[in-house]
Amino acid sequence: MSTQVTVKWKWLDWEPGYTWSKDIVSQLVELDLREEQLDRCVYVIRVNGLFAIQYPLGISPTLYIGEGNFKSRIIQHKNWLGELADLVRDFSFQVGICIPRVRNNRLAYQDLEAYLLQEFKEIYGCAPLKNVQMERRRASYEYVPKDELRAALMIGRGVRYHWAVAPMKSSPYHEKYWKTYDEELA
């Protein structure tokens, strides 16, 4: 029997121009998250506006699934987030943070990232727009509850996007978009 790991997402808003100390730390405090917890977290970056991404097998607001050292990585992500903001102007992002913990396994968060990437690819036919590679699972944990797990990947109830966009061949995102596509899933 596999170990069950409870998944609980905590959501913060991220707008182009936000800074760590001025805008993010206060949201972390409100969410009862400490910076040291973020070294072993999983996070999902999603668009939070009128459009979502058209993937080969469906539409999702998810742009990226990542793990570990959230503070330094989100600062790196600001560059490409800014590029997307230039594309559609005046919109924000949502960042879901999950802190999975398993007794005697400090690297459990890496397995959750790999699981989410596989789950996303199974649903949508490829990895999220900004993930250029799939990760390998390191354990066989069972993540529960399933609806909470998928909440970070899918369009939520009552959410109405007006557009679904996909990169064209002339876009710098096009090659990365198709890199993890698997025709056998289509």
Side-chain angles (χ1 to χ4, degrees), residues 125-171:
C126 64
L129 182 66
K130 290 301 292 181
N131 287 95
V132 294
Q133 67 185 26
M134 299 298 293
E135 300 293 338
R136 187 178 53 80
R137 292 201 59 195
R138 295 165 169 80
S140 58
Y141 300 130
E142 178 185 354
Y143 297 101
V144 295
K146 192 80 159 178
D147 58 340
E148 178 74 12
L149 180 77
R150 287 183 159 204
L153 308 178
M154 303 176 90
I155 295 174
R157 286 186 220 139
V159 176
R160 302 243 187 243
Y161 290 99
H162 294 230
W163 295 89
V165 298
M168 304 283 287
K169 284 187 178 183
S170 59
S171 167

Side-chain angles (χ1 to χ4, degrees), residues 45-148:
I45 301 175
R46 300 164 43 113
V47 292
N48 186 26
L50 297 176
F51 80 95
I53 306 300
Q54 175 68 60
Y55 289 103
L57 302 180
I59 299 167
S60 172
T62 302
L63 296 169
Y64 184 79
I65 299 169
E67 54 85 4
N69 202 349
F70 178 72
K71 181 178 179 179
S72 68
R73 290 185 178 210
I74 199 66
I75 291 168
Q76 293 169 353
H77 294 319
K78 276 179 70 171
N79 294 334
W80 64 261
L81 291 173
E83 291 171 16
L84 283 176
D86 288 344
L87 176 67
V88 293
R89 306 270 185 249
D90 299 329
F91 78 89
S92 63
F93 301 91
Q94 293 177 315
V95 180
I97 299 171
C98 180
I99 315 279
R101 295 296 184 255
V102 175
R103 185 187 309 250
N104 298 324
N105 185 351
R106 292 187 48 81
L107 303 178
Y109 66 98
Q110 293 174 343
D111 185 70
L112 177 57
E113 179 205 25
Y115 179 87
L116 287 170
L117 285 167
Q118 289 174 6
E119 188 82 1
F120 191 92
K121 185 173 179 176
E122 195 172 293
I123 296 168
Y124 297 106
C126 64
L129 182 66
K130 290 301 292 181
N131 287 95
V132 294
Q133 67 185 26
M134 299 298 293
E135 300 293 338
R136 187 178 53 80
R137 292 201 59 195
R138 295 165 169 80
S140 58
Y141 300 130
E142 178 185 354
Y143 297 101
V144 295
K146 192 80 159 178
D147 58 340
E148 178 74 12

